[in-house]
Amino acid sequence: MNQYESYLEDKMPEMMNLLEELVNIDSGSYHKEGVDKVGAVLRKEFEDLEMDILVHRESEYGNHLEIKAEKDSDPKIIIIAHMDTVFPEGEAEKRPFKVIGDKAYGPGVSDEKASHVSVL
C-alpha cells in the first residue's frame, strides 16, 4: 500500500461520516434551505483546512461557495460541483444514508455528494 492509499484508508471513517451527513440533508434544486445547509457543512470543512471561502448569496436558490487554497491565489485547477439534488423534500428521511457491502446508498450519494467528499 502506498502513502496515498494509506492516507485514504485512515481517513475513510471520517469521509463516510461526512458523506452520511451530506446525504441525509434534503437539498433539492428548489429547496434553498437544504442546499444552504449542505453549503454550510462544506464551508466549515474547508475552513478547517484554512481554505479561503467566499459565499455568493442567492435569494431564491442555494448560495454558491467559491473556495480557494489562498485568498489571492491564481488557481491552475478549477473544480465546479453542484450541491443540489433532484429529490423532493422528505426523500432523505424516506431513504437515509446506508452502506450495504461496499456500496453507499441515499439521495445524492453519487451525484454529487460523494464528489464533494472526494474533493475535500
Side-chain angles (χ1 to χ4, degrees), residues 2 32-33 50 77 89 110:
N2 68 40
K32 178 176 173 39
E33 180 183 334
E50 299 183 6
I77 297 172
E89 281 186 69
S110 64

Side-chain angles (χ1 to χ4, degrees), residues 21-74:
E21 181 177 5
L22 294 174
V23 168
N24 286 337
I25 298 171
D26 280 319
S27 57
S29 299
Y30 304 102
H31 183 52
K32 178 176 173 39
E33 180 183 334
V35 176
D36 288 348
K37 188 172 182 182
V38 169
V41 170
L42 292 172
R43 179 181 181 180
K44 183 199 176 307
E45 293 291 330
F46 281 100
E47 284 177 338
D48 288 351
L49 295 174
E50 299 183 6
M51 302 290 248
D52 185 62
I53 316 291
L54 178 60
V55 178
H56 298 273
R57 304 228 178 257
E58 296 288 331
S59 60
E60 188 174 352
Y61 302 105
N63 297 332
H64 303 279
L65 301 179
E66 181 181 333
I67 305 167
K68 290 185 176 183
E70 299 171 0
K71 185 175 179 117
D72 296 321
S73 66
D74 181 22

Side-chain angles (χ1 to χ4, degrees), residues 99-105:
V99 176
I100 300 173
D102 63 351
K103 294 185 180 169
Y105 298 88

